Amino acid sequence: VMSGINGDKTRTFFHCRGANARLTIDHIRAVDVPARIFHLGYLLLLDEMDKADPEYGVVAARALKELQDRGYETSVDVVSEEGDRFRQVILPCLKYTDYLIVNEVEAGACCNMELRDSDGKVDIEGVRKAAGLLMEKGVRKMCVIHFPEGGFAVSKDGVEHYMPTDMIPLSEIVSSVGAGDAFCAGCLYAIHEGYGLEDMLAFANACARFNLSSGTSTGGAPTLCQVNEFLGKDQ
C-alpha cells in the first residue's frame, strides 16, 4: 500500500492486492501455532475471504468460527472504504469475533451512523452507542473504537472507558499513516497481557503517538521499554 497526504489532509491510498487477494481459508486452516490470539487484518481487501459463504455469510466468518473452535481468540480489523460493503462483509463476522478494533469511520459504516458532527468534532455519545450496537450484533468480548482524539472501549460485561489523547501540535506530526494499526497492536498486546480497559487505552494511545513521528507505517514503532517510560511505568 502506498499513501500520500493531500492538501486537505486526507489520504489517498494506491493499493495492489498482491498476496491479500490470494489468502484463502485453507491458508488459515493450516495455521498451527501456540499463540492465543489470531488477528485477521484488513477485511475488505481480502478477495477470497470477503466472498459470500452460503452458511456463514462470508468466508471470513467461517474462518473465524473455525479458529475459535480450535481454541484461538479472534481479533478483526478492517479498512476504511466508501460504499456498502461494510455491512455485507463485516456484520456476518461479528459473532465470531472476540475483539473488534476499528476507527470511528469504520464503526460508523458498520452501524450506518455518522460519528462526527458537521464541524468535524467526534460525537463521543455516538461512539458509545456504536460500540454498544456492535456488541449487540455479536462481538463476543470487547469492542474498541479509536480516533485521533482518543479511544473508547466496552467489554462484554458492560464495563466501558473513554480515554482522550494528549493532542500534539500538527507541526510535530510527520505522518499519521499506520497510527491506527499501531493503536490496534497496542490493544492486542495489552489484552494479551491482561491490562484493564484504562491501561489498555493508555498503552494503545501511546503506541499511536510514537507512530506519528515517522513518515512510514513502522518507522516510529517504539520498544516496550519506551512506551512504559513514556507512561511513567516501572520496567
Side-chain angles (χ1 to χ4, degrees):
V1 177
M2 295 179 62
S3 174
I5 306 297
N6 301 322
D8 61 357
K9 301 299 183 180
T10 61
R11 291 181 291 169
T12 298
F13 284 85
F14 301 91
H15 177 72
C16 175
R17 289 284 204 272
N20 281 357
R22 305 185 69 176
L23 178 70
T24 69
I25 193 170
D26 289 332
H27 293 110
I28 293 177
R29 286 169 172 162
V31 171
D32 184 13
V33 294
R36 192 174 83 229
I37 303 173
F38 185 101
H39 179 66
L40 182 61
Y42 280 12
L43 279 175
L44 300 176
L45 285 183
L46 307 177
D47 293 23
E48 294 297 321
M49 303 302 293
D50 293 342
K51 285 183 176 178
D53 180 280
E55 182 177 356
Y56 290 87
V58 292
V59 174
R62 179 183 290 273
L64 292 166
K65 172 63 163 58
E66 292 183 3
L67 286 163
Q68 289 181 332
D69 288 345
R70 291 165 55 196
Y72 293 104
E73 292 182 302
T74 58
S75 167
V76 166
D77 182 21
V78 305
V79 297
S80 301
E81 75 160 35
E82 297 179 356
D84 60 359
R85 290 204 308 148
F86 270 93
R87 287 177 289 281
Q88 295 174 7
V89 175
I90 306 304
L91 294 186
C93 295
L94 294 186
K95 62 182 178 180
Y96 308 115
T97 299
D98 290 300
Y99 307 109
L100 180 70
I101 306 169
V102 292
N103 65 33
E104 85 283 13
V105 175
E106 296 153 354
C110 288
C111 299
N112 197 26
M113 297 172 62
E114 179 54 62
L115 299 183
R116 289 188 179 275
D117 62 24
S118 58
D119 294 326
K121 184 179 179 180
V122 67
D123 178 2
I124 300 301
E125 185 56 34
V127 167
R128 178 179 286 106
K129 290 179 180 178
L133 183 59
L134 289 167
M135 295 296 292
E136 290 175 8
K137 289 182 177 294
V139 177
R140 293 177 55 159
K141 295 184 178 180
M142 185 186 300
C143 177
V144 183
I145 300 176
H146 59 88
F147 33 93
E149 300 89 341
F152 179 86
V154 60
S155 61
K156 65 177 180 179
D157 55 5
V159 175
E160 60 183 43
H161 191 79
Y162 167 60
M163 177 167 288
T165 55
D166 182 13
M167 300 295 285
I168 63 177
L170 287 176
S171 60
E172 297 181 17
I173 298 176
V174 177
S175 171
S176 61
V177 174
D181 295 315
F183 182 98
C184 180
C187 281
L188 290 175
Y189 175 83
I191 289 168
H192 188 275
E193 296 302 302
Y195 288 23
L197 294 189
E198 182 175 358
D199 287 339
M200 177 194 73
L201 290 172
F203 188 88
N205 279 343
C207 290
R209 182 188 180 98
F210 275 97
N211 179 272
L212 300 175
S213 66
S214 171
T216 71
S217 60
T218 58
T223 65
L224 178 59
C225 288
Q226 287 175 309
V227 177
N228 284 335
E229 182 178 0
F230 175 80
L231 293 173
K233 292 185 176 182
D234 295 332
Q235 303 300 314

